[in-house]
Amino acid sequence: MSLELFGHPFSSYTWKALIALYDTKTPFEFRNIAGDQYPENEAAFLDHWPVGKFPLLVEEGVPTMESSIIIERVAPRLVPADPASALEARMLDRIFDNHVMTPVQAIVSEHLPFITEKPDEARIARARAALDKVYPWLDSRLAGRQWAAGEEFTVADCAGAPSLFYADWVQRIPEALASLKAYRARVLARPSVARVVDEARPYRALFPLGAPDRD
Ligand SMILES: N[C@@H](CCC(=O)N[C@@H](CS)C(=O)NCC(=O)O)C(=O)O
């Protein structure tokens, strides 16, 4: 079985799939589509998925889109066997993507000159308000848990790590939310997560709001 993952080393959703692959020690080939350096990778990627959203998994020529589905394909054990635990893990995965990463992407894209000439301050304010609402909810939900969905490292953590990594860069998690801050630190220390953070260091200058000197 040959697995190829197309993605960008600084992309949050690429991290999500990479964390699952690294954590489960699944062999694969990374097809980097960063910038103009790898035109053959970009062409093959767009050939499989003209929508152009990454990551994309290609297995023996057959593409799979969407990071959560890629994880279920390559690392099924990251979804718990018990149905109630599986539901919790999938729900947290959706919450991190839709209610943390989506507002983060909105704020970041409003600062990308090739997407917008002048930042839409109202959109940025709405995204910041969304983060302000979800942070305390996450803090309560994660209290007393080792990992996002309980005692097991799951797909929810693959989503939680990149979304909270970047969320804290655009809107600092308040000190008072100790469980959420501790979870972020814990998940960033996991070797599979530390590896994607390290591999992305050369790309930090790309962060349009300016990467903070930490993490
Ligand atoms: N729902 C998708 C989201 C993927 C996504 O938004 N990827 C971003 C990179 S982190 C992307 O492709 N950005 C490039 C673009 O929008 O053109 C998933 O989970 O894979």
Side-chain angles (χ1 to χ4, degrees):
M1 177 177 75
S2 93
L3 290 180
E4 296 170 294
L5 188 82
F6 291 82
H8 190 299
F10 199 46
S11 128
S12 52
Y13 284 104
T14 302
W15 281 15
K16 193 176 145 184
L18 284 173
I19 291 165
L21 287 158
Y22 290 157
D23 215 271
T24 54
K25 301 187 170 44
T26 304
F28 70 102
E29 182 192 350
F30 185 61
R31 305 274 310 261
N32 193 338
I33 57 166
D36 303 328
Q37 292 165 274
Y38 311 96
E40 68 289 359
N41 288 351
E42 172 130 41
F45 163 63
L46 289 174
D47 204 34
H48 283 296
W49 189 216
V51 167
K53 296 277 183 191
F54 38 91
L56 172 79
L57 179 81
V58 178
E59 180 182 4
E60 307 291 352
V62 179
T64 300
M65 298 77 177
E66 291 294 324
S67 55
S68 303
I69 310 305
I70 291 171
I71 292 174
E72 294 215 25
R73 174 68 199 95
V74 298
R77 76 171 123 112
L78 294 181
V79 178
D82 163 59
S85 306
L87 212 61
E88 179 72 7
R90 289 197 177 100
M91 185 178 75
L92 266 297
D93 169 67
R94 299 291 74 239
I95 288 169
F96 282 124
D97 280 11
N98 292 327
H99 303 290
V100 181
M101 207 54 231
T102 296
V104 169
Q105 279 185 326
I107 295 166
V108 169
S109 68
E110 287 302 326
H111 290 84
L112 287 172
F114 56 89
I115 293 186
T116 178
E117 272 177 29
K118 188 168 169 289
D120 176 343
E121 295 299 340
R123 184 180 183 218
I124 293 171
R126 281 195 304 276
R128 291 197 181 280
L131 290 174
D132 281 341
K133 282 189 214 164
V134 80
Y135 281 173
W137 185 90
L138 284 168
D139 187 64
S140 303
R141 194 74 171 203
L142 299 178
R145 288 185 181 180
Q146 163 91 343
W147 300 114
E151 289 311 303
E152 278 177 65
F153 186 90
T154 68
V155 62
D157 301 291
C158 299
S163 58
L164 292 174
F165 178 89
Y166 285 112
D168 195 54
W169 277 17
V170 303
Q171 177 130 313
R172 205 83 204 254
I173 298 168
E175 290 298 327
L177 303 181
S179 298
L180 183 56
K181 285 187 91 69
Y183 169 74
R184 182 180 183 274
R186 189 157 56 247
V187 80
L188 292 188
R190 181 127 177 150
S192 54
V193 178
R195 182 170 170 186
V196 296
V197 171
D198 280 343
E199 288 172 349
R201 284 185 197 282
Y203 298 90
R204 283 190 177 198
L206 294 177
F207 195 67
L209 288 90
D213 192 15
R214 58 185 168 87
D215 295 324

